[in-house]
Amino acid sequence: AGDTREERQFRLWINSLGLEQVYVNHLFADLSDGVVLLKVSKASIDTRRAWPWPLGVRRMTKCGTA
C-alpha cells in the first residue's frame, strides 16, 4: 500500500493492542470518526503510572485561591 513508514507502524501498533472490535486497515479512513482513537486512548492509559501534579503547580493553585 501507499502508507508511509509512520502510518504503517501506528496501524500495526493499534492492531497489536488486541482490542475487541478494533482492526485498522486504512489508517486515515478507519480513524476518521474518532471511535477507534477513543478506544485506543482508553486502553493505553494506565492510571497506576500517572504522575501527581508537581509541587510548584499545587502551590500556584493555592496562591490563586487565597
Side-chain angles (χ1 to χ4, degrees):
D3 295 342
T4 64
R5 183 184 333 171
E6 291 82 10
E7 291 172 25
R8 183 176 182 274
Q9 288 175 338
F10 193 58
R11 183 173 41 86
L12 291 173
W13 174 71
I14 291 172
N15 291 336
S16 72
L17 293 174
L19 300 174
E20 190 173 324
Q21 298 179 349
V22 173
Y23 189 81
V24 177
N25 287 315
H26 304 286
L27 186 67
F28 294 111
D30 293 345
L31 273 63
S32 64
D33 63 355
V35 174
V36 173
L37 286 175
L38 288 173
K39 290 180 181 180
V40 168
S41 65
K42 185 177 179 182
S44 63
I45 293 173
D46 186 2
T47 57
R48 291 173 287 158
R49 286 191 262 169
W51 290 89
W53 285 95
L55 290 176
V57 174
R58 288 187 194 144
R59 289 182 188 145
M60 292 299 289
T61 55
K62 289 180 182 177
C63 291
T65 57

